[in-house]
Amino acid sequence: MEHGEKVKMADSQGTPTLFSPYKMGKFNLSHRVVLAPMTRCRALNGIPRPALAEYYTQRSTPGGFLITEGTLISDTGAGFPHVPGIYNEEQVEAWKMIVDAVHAKGGIIFCQLWHVGRASHTVYQPGGVAPISSTNKPISKRWRILMPDGSYGIYPKPRPLETSEIQEVVEHYRKAALNAIRAGFDGIEIHGAHGYLIDQFLKDGINDRTDEYGGSLANRCKFLMQIVQAVASAIGIDRVAVRMSPAIDHLDATDSNPLNLGLAVIERLNKLQLQLGSKLAYLHVTQPRYHAYGQTESGKQGNEDEEAYLMRALKQTYQGTFMCSGGFNRELGMQAVAEGDADLVSYGRLFISNPDLVLRLKVNAPLNRYIRKTFYTHDPVVGYTDYPFLIEEKGRQVQSRL
Ligand SMILES: Cc1cc2nc3c(=O)[nH]c(=O)nc-3n(C[C@H](O)[C@H](O)[C@H](O)COP(=O)(O)O)c2cc1C
């Protein structure tokens, strides 16, 4: 492990740190600092480009774990410009180069499978039709959608999926997972969080269906669970992960009882793991303090007691690897791992601005600040791969521009 001698792998009581190795099912991770999935809008016209290889390899470490940006399972899944897909051959071929480059650096990489559902616009839909969802209620005007020309628009009214159409969407997830494995990915993460399609089924603040996919908790969990089962039977449950955010209201995704919802999903995942005799790769949960992109800066606490209770209840109930995300800095990440609140911690914004975040956290070096205005721009370099690395020279740390 690079610079391993500079950090303690565990403290004197044997308590794990962010830099202790971790066995995540069949994957041997050399540390617990994970690249969080982040949409960066650099895959021009849906095709991953060489710029993505540069971005992901910059953030790779031997034995380090990375999750890609949300990657579309079908041509109806987009709600941002220039988001990559994994539903056609050109995309699968293009991803190979990126995955190979990450593997060459010893990294382990999962592809995050995404469908935005109603968080879309007719401009992103084939034939300019309404986006699909669990409901016909649009996202409120409190939220704005990023349009292809860089302006912000209003979310249109979605079309609720017919009951008979749902299996087709499940099938898109299954095929996308198979495509991801063909592209060389080590596994996939199902994006069930942040107000996108799956969350639109999970949350009672959105899902107003009267069929077998709405109403009771069991019915609202059904869409997610059918996807997990379909994907697990295609590529093996140990290559599948689930992301959820029961307590996050992003894009109006509210639920009357977030804890119960989280526990209901976990209960079903635990049961499936028992049935299949093997575990998911991990469960990834977004901290309540990450209420909405932009409202909470990294390192700031939310309502500490409330979120500690919710996250601990979820962690204690889930029988497998638990990954946390949302507002972590070095100190909070160290604390979460040491106190057993997380096995792995995913870092988002700090990883955007610090390609060598793992090293910086290890040696407790200063961090570059992230520049929000280039999060979703399309330049293959600016705000993407041009954040400076910390270069170590003979024990002296200097910062240098690339
Ligand atoms: C620019 C940007 C894009 C994001 N895109 C995604 C995404 O595609 N999928 C996802 O699950 N989360 C996405 N997120 C949420 C992050 O994965 C992460 O949970 C969030 O940034 C909170 O972590 P942080 O405080 O370390 O940044 C995104 C966040 C940012 C800042």
Side-chain angles (χ1 to χ4, degrees):
M1 215 165 141
E2 279 177 293
H3 308 287
E5 67 288 354
K6 286 198 155 32
V7 286
K8 289 193 246 168
M9 295 310 211
D11 69 11
S12 50
Q13 276 87 45
T15 309
T17 80
L18 264 184
F19 310 105
S20 313
Y22 183 78
K23 190 156 171 49
M24 183 180 83
K26 60 166 70 165
F27 305 103
N28 291 313
L29 310 188
S30 61
H31 58 81
R32 288 122 183 277
V33 179
V34 175
L35 173 67
M38 280 180 295
T39 295
R40 303 303 315 278
C41 303
R42 263 71 174 188
L44 299 185
N45 302 315
I47 310 297
R49 309 281 163 178
L52 276 72
E54 176 70 11
Y55 172 79
Y56 285 109
T57 50
Q58 283 184 346
R59 286 155 185 78
S60 300
T61 47
F65 186 56
L66 292 80
I67 310 163
T68 69
E69 59 213 278
T71 300
L72 308 177
I73 59 150
S74 70
D75 61 359
T76 63
F80 282 80
H82 304 300
V83 168
I86 188 126
Y87 55 86
N88 69 35
E89 282 312 303
E90 193 183 358
Q91 293 159 346
V92 174
E93 283 307 308
W95 273 117
K96 282 182 183 164
M97 175 193 50
I98 295 152
V99 177
D100 287 350
V102 169
H103 284 161
K105 282 194 73 179
I108 296 153
I109 182 164
F110 273 31
C111 181
Q112 191 189 50
L113 301 188
W114 194 25
H115 193 301
V116 301
R118 68 175 184 164
S120 183
H121 193 279
T122 52
V123 293
Y124 292 117
Q125 294 299 314
V129 300
I132 57 169
S133 183
S134 61
T135 177
N136 66 357
K137 284 181 300 193
I139 294 170
S140 69
K141 294 194 175 123
R142 187 179 152 217
W143 307 93
R144 291 282 191 269
I145 181 166
L146 178 61
M147 302 293 277
D149 65 1
S151 66
Y152 284 85
I154 301 212
Y155 286 101
K157 193 170 169 161
R159 178 180 75 79
L161 281 165
E162 300 287 341
T163 313
S164 59
E165 291 175 302
I166 291 180
Q167 283 315 305
E168 198 186 323
V169 183
V170 173
E171 177 61 11
H172 289 153
Y173 278 94
R174 197 184 70 86
K175 284 202 177 126
L178 285 168
N179 285 345
I181 298 301
R182 278 202 296 129
F185 281 108
D186 298 293
I188 63 98
E189 179 181 287
I190 297 167
H191 191 347
H194 305 161
Y196 297 107
L197 183 62
I198 295 172
D199 212 17
Q200 292 161 27
F201 277 81
L202 289 173
K203 301 259 174 81
D204 63 7
I206 302 177
N207 184 335
D208 54 1
R209 302 179 71 88
T210 51
D211 65 359
E212 69 202 75
Y213 291 93
S216 67
L217 255 182
N219 284 0
R220 285 185 276 125
C221 291
K222 199 169 192 168
F223 180 52
L224 168 64
M225 290 311 298
Q226 288 183 337
I227 294 167
V228 177
Q229 269 168 299
V231 167
S233 65
I235 66 170
I237 190 169
D238 51 354
R239 291 189 184 279
V240 178
V242 171
R243 182 167 208 189
M244 68 169 171
S245 58
I248 303 281
D249 66 356
H250 187 235
L251 302 173
D252 297 337
T254 55
D255 194 87
S256 57
N257 195 334
L259 178 60
N260 268 10
L261 174 64
L263 292 174
V265 171
I266 288 175
E267 196 184 298
R268 285 163 178 78
L269 295 176
N270 284 343
K271 200 166 149 206
L272 182 67
Q273 295 183 156
L274 269 178
Q275 269 167 14
L276 298 181
S278 186
K279 289 185 195 299
L280 292 162
Y282 60 91
L283 174 66
H284 190 179
V285 182
T286 316
Q287 290 269 358
R289 69 171 162 250
Y290 188 63
H291 284 302
Y293 303 178
Q295 290 181 3
T296 315
E297 295 302 327
S298 295
K300 296 255 168 67
Q301 296 276 8
N303 181 337
E304 228 176 302
D305 293 344
E306 199 185 315
E307 80 187 36
Y309 176 73
L310 181 125
M311 294 302 281
R312 281 194 184 127
L314 300 182
K315 161 87 168 81
Q316 282 161 14
T317 312
Y318 179 58
Q319 289 156 11
T321 296
F322 193 81
M323 185 189 297
C324 285
S325 179
F328 284 95
N329 56 12
R330 182 179 200 273
E331 190 194 345
L332 293 172
M334 290 295 257
Q335 193 184 319
V337 171
E339 292 179 5
D341 291 337
D343 298 308
L344 303 170
V345 179
S346 82
Y347 287 84
R349 293 162 292 178
L350 294 179
F351 231 139
I352 287 181
S353 53
N354 296 278
D356 52 355
L357 183 67
V358 180
L359 170 63
R360 286 178 191 254
L361 294 182
K362 264 186 204 165
V363 300
N364 205 5
L367 300 178
N368 302 317
R369 291 175 69 88
Y370 44 84
I371 302 165
R372 198 174 283 282
K373 70 175 195 296
T374 50
F375 279 179
Y376 301 114
T377 45
H378 316 309
D379 190 284
V381 175
V382 178
Y384 193 49
T385 54
D386 63 350
Y387 283 103
F389 282 76
L390 181 81
I391 296 178
E392 269 208 333
E393 287 174 352
K394 297 189 186 111
R396 192 169 59 91
Q397 289 161 18
V398 291
Q399 274 193 300
S400 108
R401 280 245 151 224
L402 275 180

